[in-house]
Amino acid sequence: MKNVINATLSLSKEEMREYGYQIIDHIVAHFDTQEEKNPVAMASRKDMEALLMEEVPLEATNAQAVLNDVMEKIMPNSTIVSHPKSYSFVPGPSNYISTMADTLATGFNIFSGGWAASPAAAELEIITIGWLVEMFGFPTEKGGGLFTSGGSMANLTALVTARRVKCGDDFSKAVIYLSDQAHSSNIKAIRVLGFKKEQIRIIPTDIEFKMAVNKLKNAIAKDRLEGLHPFCIIASAGTTNTGTVDPLDTIADICKTEDMWMHVDGAYGGAAILGTHGKELLKGIEKADSLTVDPHKWFYQPYEMGCLIVKNHKWLSETFTEKPEYLRDVEGNESEINFYDHGIQLTRRFRALKFYMSVKTFGLNSFKAAVQYNLELAEKVEGILRKSAKWEVISPATLAVINFRYNPIGKNFSEKKLDALNQEISKQVIGSVEALLVTTVLQGQVVLRMCLINPRTTLQHVQETLDCCEKIAATL
Ligand SMILES: *Cc1c(COP(=O)(O)O)cnc(C)c1O
């Protein structure tokens, strides 16, 4: 296409076919062969500049050459988050049906902002959100929500809504509470909302990493005495570090007594509701006013897909409805939801489609089996680690996350030495590019963390990675 101006930016039917089929072939090959590849991509800024840096191209380049270049230089320099040995940070197992659904949604470029632009897209979002509302035990009549780009955006949307409903326009005295294990996106959201440091209470966690309820109650009481307005508690349903679920029932009671908003961040762990003991594991989650779940994590969806559900969908429309003049003609009636009135984005991609097509194609029972498999795999890994003389479990298998460290019996290494040892094991495992296994810090200890939400990760994969760690440790 050199020196050709293509002012309509279009291809012939044959060109489109040939190009598209190649891309499908690449994607299928990726799904089919990723296990044979190494999951870790490591490159410095300098490496990437040398490989990719260029001025904006004014002239056309042959389409095939561009595609070949992308396949050669860009895809292999990206970590494979759906690889069975990607244990960090939160893997993205994804699935092929949803991948194709995203391709369709993008191909038709469906505007998922308002009813008028695509009634079917809006209806499908209402339906799939309805499935989630029911799954989590939220009120099916009044409950609602929307899909977002991810958990961060869902948390932000929730907190804007909480503040609007509980504080109205004056939030100068408002105070918000979250634990020291809450996900960083919550603090980011609080900052975006413009709260001052004095309006945020970070509540310590207990020995099991749960929000310490007594300390929470003390903080609220003290703030009341000072004339402040405690308005929202953010509880975690599956912290990213350890999978720990805060005492949701108790926090719900506090919220009720204190007339506070209960937001549950279940971005990581919410999907455990599909496990056989889901309701037990996440007891009290149905009492939340708002709940974040992240289908692009443990509902096996490709990026980007987060979700916020709320007890009363009117809270969202009351918070986010703005009517510019040019949208007047497209309002429709009240039951015909304009999702741009339920959140921050106006123009939105059609996220509901992938959720819909994958759940319908595989059946929810397949998703349940996958989640159950993940939960049990983590428990089996815990069993292996406990029986080994070399490993110590630091935080037991909880919602498919396990934290452990190399600490061989009889060696009596100092804490400092253990930290250095485990840090080095992680570094060398990643350096080998065979597995993505990173450390986290729990109660001051450097530990290794496995997040086992890939349904294609087997006990053998894990065993191979542990063997690899032991081999490295033997040389240290
Ligand atoms: C991942 C995560 C988030 C952020 O979600 P994104 O989709 O990455 O924006 C929020 N909370 C928890 C608990 C998470 O694990």
Side-chain angles (χ1 to χ4, degrees):
M1 288 194 201
K2 227 175 174 67
N3 299 321
V4 177
I5 302 284
N6 182 348
T8 60
L9 308 176
S10 47
L11 305 181
S12 74
K13 206 158 70 179
E14 290 69 34
E15 285 170 327
M16 284 195 280
R17 279 227 173 83
E18 201 199 316
Y19 194 79
Y21 289 162
Q22 276 193 67
I23 289 181
I24 294 292
D25 284 342
H26 284 308
I27 294 172
V28 171
H30 175 72
F31 270 82
D32 190 44
T33 63
Q34 57 181 287
E35 215 186 310
E36 299 151 28
K37 297 179 197 157
N38 288 315
V40 182
M42 275 198 302
S44 66
R45 177 72 198 265
K46 213 165 141 229
D47 297 337
M48 289 296 96
E49 294 253 317
L51 188 67
L52 299 169
M53 181 50 91
E54 60 182 313
E55 299 289 314
V56 57
L58 294 175
E59 306 294 340
T61 310
N62 177 275
Q64 187 65 52
V66 175
L67 178 57
N68 292 350
D69 236 30
V70 164
M71 291 315 300
E72 205 176 295
K73 295 176 180 169
I74 295 179
M75 295 310 164
N77 278 304
S78 306
T79 291
I80 304 175
V81 293
S82 51
H83 191 285
K85 288 185 183 171
S86 265
Y87 306 108
S88 316
F89 302 75
V90 176
S94 189
N95 76 85
Y96 188 74
I97 295 286
S98 294
T99 305
M100 290 300 104
D102 253 357
T103 310
L104 262 181
T106 303
F108 282 73
N109 204 24
I110 288 167
F111 178 90
S112 227
W115 185 271
S118 174
E123 183 63 28
L124 218 56
E125 188 155 351
I126 292 170
I127 290 169
T128 45
I129 289 285
W131 293 349
L132 288 159
V133 160
E134 202 183 327
M135 227 178 268
F136 285 99
F138 274 47
T140 46
E141 281 293 309
K142 287 191 178 158
L146 81 170
F147 292 119
T148 60
S149 54
S152 303
M153 198 50 127
N155 283 335
L156 176 63
T157 309
L159 299 184
V160 176
T161 310
R163 186 172 73 177
R164 178 86 213 150
V165 172
K166 290 295 181 196
C167 310
D169 287 327
D170 181 12
F171 42 86
S172 55
K173 291 193 159 28
V175 185
I176 188 162
Y177 305 77
L178 65 166
S179 90
D180 60 20
Q181 292 291 308
H183 190 269
S184 57
S185 61
N186 293 295
I187 281 290
K188 254 200 219 174
I190 291 167
R191 285 221 191 95
V192 171
L193 284 167
F195 283 115
K196 300 194 192 89
K197 239 171 58 207
E198 307 84 76
Q199 295 178 283
I200 310 166
R201 302 285 173 270
I202 308 288
I203 308 298
T205 43
D206 63 17
I207 188 119
E208 292 182 304
F209 308 103
K210 291 182 184 168
M211 192 189 287
V213 171
N214 183 49
K215 296 202 167 119
L216 171 67
K217 283 183 174 167
N218 284 345
I220 294 171
K222 185 165 160 290
D223 286 332
R224 287 254 187 245
L225 286 173
E226 295 197 354
L228 299 172
H229 175 207
F231 84 101
C232 178
I233 303 173
I234 302 173
S236 302
T239 62
T240 322
N241 251 349
T242 59
T244 303
V245 181
D246 282 332
L248 302 179
D249 268 331
T250 314
I251 292 172
D253 288 345
I254 297 171
C255 283
K256 198 161 172 213
T257 317
E258 300 282 345
D259 188 24
M260 291 169 75
W261 184 282
M262 179 177 177
H263 175 59
V264 172
D265 181 1
Y268 169 67
I273 200 80
L274 295 175
T276 46
H277 302 298
K279 288 254 152 66
E280 251 167 78
L281 294 170
L282 299 172
K283 201 164 159 294
I285 203 165
E286 71 287 349
K287 295 180 182 161
D289 294 298
S290 57
L291 166 67
T292 289
V293 285
D294 224 357
H296 67 201
K297 286 179 176 163
W298 206 357
F299 272 93
Y300 314 108
Q301 302 300 313
Y303 305 140
E304 298 181 343
M305 189 180 211
C307 174
L308 173 67
I309 62 174
V310 291
K311 268 224 165 82
N312 186 340
H313 73 92
K314 287 244 163 62
W315 293 335
L316 293 176
S317 51
E318 283 162 17
T319 304
F320 291 102
T321 304
E322 287 292 335
K323 284 279 173 266
E325 295 72 23
Y326 59 85
L327 289 178
R328 264 182 327 168
D329 294 341
V330 295
E331 274 174 41
N333 76 39
E334 222 185 290
S335 72
E336 295 170 352
I337 291 178
N338 294 313
F339 279 95
Y340 55 62
D341 281 338
H342 280 208
I344 295 160
Q345 273 185 291
L346 169 59
T347 303
R348 307 166 71 242
R349 56 180 289 109
F350 186 11
R351 298 192 178 94
L353 187 66
K354 55 185 162 186
F355 193 79
Y356 174 78
M357 286 176 74
S358 56
V359 171
K360 194 160 162 150
T361 304
F362 293 114
L364 191 65
N365 284 340
S366 296
F367 283 79
K368 286 183 172 178
V371 167
Q372 189 58 27
Y373 171 81
N374 293 143
L375 291 167
E376 286 171 13
L377 178 65
E379 283 163 17
K380 283 182 194 149
V381 172
E382 180 184 335
I384 290 176
L385 292 167
R386 286 210 193 275
K387 280 196 207 100
S388 159
K390 293 186 174 135
W391 296 101
E392 177 189 11
V393 172
I394 300 295
S395 168
T398 312
L399 304 196
V401 179
I402 182 157
N403 290 275
F404 55 99
R405 66 176 178 178
Y406 188 75
N407 184 9
I409 294 175
K411 294 273 190 185
N412 296 318
F413 289 134
S414 68
E415 283 297 319
K416 209 168 149 212
K417 167 86 182 167
L418 286 170
D419 284 355
L421 202 58
N422 283 278
Q423 193 68 60
E424 188 59 26
I425 290 171
S426 164
K427 195 174 152 207
Q428 290 199 24
V429 170
I430 296 170
S432 80
V433 302
E434 274 177 43
L436 186 60
L437 180 69
V438 305
T439 62
T440 188
V441 176
L442 292 180
Q443 286 158 351
Q445 297 175 329
V446 174
V447 301
L448 298 166
R449 174 178 167 282
M450 271 190 183
C451 179
L452 294 161
I453 62 164
N454 188 333
R456 296 173 295 275
T457 299
T458 63
L459 206 51
Q460 192 188 332
H461 290 121
V462 176
Q463 191 63 64
E464 282 168 14
T465 302
L466 292 175
D467 291 347
C468 172
C469 290
E470 288 177 17
K471 250 186 231 145
I472 290 165
T475 68
L476 297 175

